[in-house]
Amino acid sequence: MKLKKKLAISDTGFVFDPHSGESFSLNETGTEILNMLKEGKSQEEIMTHFLENYEVDNDTFERAYMDFIAMLKFYNISEENEKD
Amino acid sequence: MKKTKITVAVSGLNNTDNPGPGIPVIRALRESDFYDVKIIGLAYENLEPGIYMHEWVDKTYQVPYPSSGSEKLLQRLEYINSIENIDVLIPNFDAELYSFITNSERLKNIGISTFLPTLKQFEERHKANLPEYGKKYDVLVPHSRPINSLSEIYTLTPEFTYPLLVKGKFYDAFVAFNPEQVAQHFNKLVSKWGLPIIIQEFIRGTEVNVIALGDGKGNTIGAVPMRKTYITDKGKAWGGITLDDEEMLRLTTSIIKQTKWRGGMELELIKTNENKYYLVEINPRIPAWVYLAVGAGQNLPEALVKLALGKKVKPFTSYESGKMFIRYSWDMIVNLNEFEKLSTTGEL
């Protein structure tokens, strides 16, 4: 999934979308995933990273990850919904 | 750099919960690098807060309402000018614009410069003309129709579906869910703003706005898009944030280019979930949230004054997105003798 190009993500997990003016607060896990997505990492790469570095099993992470992605789409943070 | 001393007359000192643009315009001019401004306030009511804000307004004169006739308003302005030598006049009320646009030559002859839209530009963007405007300038607009009598309310369907918007000629808009509510709002709006009342299709989406300044030759001198983040029960922005939205800027420059818009303006748009932009209104003046544009890097009132004085103005090329404004209220303590002076002499 591609994120909007101009999305600003701070170290604190504060996310600002300058196109819509909306802002969001993420926890550490959300911030890490969003930063990896911004770097262009694939779902597989992100999953591997989390499974290797955190105590989480494949199914639990995948479920949480898909839920998170759906939320990004819902809030128009992904590029799919962006016009320009 | 030595600043040039000028005198600027500004109306719209009603810095209330339905604020006029006067005080933010003055604030922008006070921050000018080019002008050292003396501000002459023009007030219609004796409780407009700006009258008593002496750090912003040097002197205030009461002026008659435009509804009492252009001639009275102009005569009063001529009197004020004989004392103050006004260089530039920035009117900030929709209702007074017609008088000043149609008399801009007369004002010029006594040394007062304005930078207002032409009468054609002013008339064709009226809410009642929005459908033709959209067609002519290739802009999406919600379907709308002016109505002049209560009996027309029952002819609205199937042309319109509920809910719909009931709008006043100059200000105010209400959502109506049935003909009875339309009738209620119709009566309220007619008594306040007169006919016609505009019935408009209700477009679901986010309200976004652009403040812009056109040079009258088709060039956009500046433009800043904004989304209201806090809206009062009167629908006014009490907070907002600047956006980085290329489509809104494209739409603005396209309208200014085609219409050769002269002066300040505000585009009110609805952005749908499908990322379509519907133009719902063009306000032919600087909006009350103008100071956000100044804070984001575009001092549009200063540029407007330069244009009014015939100076060349280089268009702004950027602004900062993510700049916010948050309004607040403040209780001023005013001595009765000030109120008395304004009420009895019409000057303070």
Side-chain angles (χ1 to χ4, degrees), chain B residues 11-30:
Chain B
S11 64
L13 305 181
N14 52 328
N15 217 32
T16 62
D17 61 337
N18 184 6
I23 294 299
V25 163
I26 294 166
R27 196 175 169 198
L29 296 178
R30 291 259 184 243

Side-chain angles (χ1 to χ4, degrees), chain B residues 222-247:
Chain B
V224 178
M226 178 275 276
R227 180 174 67 84
K228 295 175 184 175
T229 51
Y230 193 115
I231 301 174
T232 67
D233 54 4
K234 285 186 178 143
K236 304 295 161 190
W238 202 255
I241 187 163
T242 56
L243 305 176
D244 179 0
D245 191 315
E246 285 161 29
E247 180 58 17

Side-chain angles (χ1 to χ4, degrees), chain B residues 6 29 65 77 137 143 157 160 234 260 271 273 322 334:
Chain B
I6 55 165
L29 296 178
Y65 271 108
L77 212 58
Y137 298 115
H143 178 56
T157 51
F160 291 90
K234 285 186 178 143
K260 294 192 168 50
K271 181 184 178 185
N273 287 339
V334 177

Side-chain angles (χ1 to χ4, degrees), chain B residues 203-224:
Chain B
I203 306 281
R204 275 173 219 284
T206 309
E207 188 185 329
V208 284
N209 306 64
V210 187
I211 179 175
L213 175 64
D215 70 352
K217 295 170 187 158
N219 302 308
T220 301
I221 297 300
V224 178

Side-chain angles (χ1 to χ4, degrees), chain B residues 59-62 76 79 338-348:
Chain B
K59 175 140 189 194
T60 300
Y61 291 85
Q62 260 195 319
R76 176 71 173 152
Y79 163 75
E338 294 205 340
F339 180 74
E340 178 196 332
K341 193 175 174 217
L342 182 88
S343 304
T344 53
T345 66
E347 297 179 20
L348 183 65

Side-chain angles (χ1 to χ4, degrees), chain A residues 4 7-10 12-26 34 72 75-77, chain B residues 227-229 240-243 322 324:
Chain A
K4 283 182 172 176
L7 207 64
I9 309 165
S10 80
T12 58
F14 184 79
V15 179
F16 174 61
D17 177 358
H19 188 245
S20 67
E22 295 285 357
S23 53
F24 311 89
S25 290
L26 297 181
L34 209 63
L72 296 182
Y75 286 113
N76 280 329
I77 292 173
Chain B
R227 180 174 67 84
K228 295 175 184 175
T229 51
I241 187 163
T242 56
L243 305 176
M324 296 168 63

Side-chain angles (χ1 to χ4, degrees), chain B residues 27-101:
Chain B
R27 196 175 169 198
L29 296 178
R30 291 259 184 243
E31 289 182 13
S32 170
D33 292 328
F34 301 92
Y35 298 116
D36 178 5
V37 287
K38 180 181 181 188
I39 297 292
I40 303 302
L42 305 176
Y44 290 96
E45 299 276 351
N46 53 13
L47 279 177
E48 290 181 25
I51 300 166
Y52 307 96
M53 298 166 82
H54 303 305
E55 68 275 37
W56 301 107
V57 182
D58 294 297
K59 175 140 189 194
T60 300
Y61 291 85
Q62 260 195 319
V63 287
Y65 271 108
S67 54
S68 59
S70 290
E71 191 52 37
K72 275 190 178 170
L73 179 63
L74 286 157
Q75 278 176 6
R76 176 71 173 152
L77 212 58
E78 281 165 353
Y79 163 75
I80 298 166
N81 190 54
S82 71
I83 301 164
E84 303 293 349
N85 276 322
I86 299 164
D87 295 298
V88 179
L89 164 69
I90 306 179
N92 288 305
F93 279 123
D94 292 5
E96 66 188 0
L97 286 177
Y98 178 84
S99 299
F100 291 131
I101 289 170

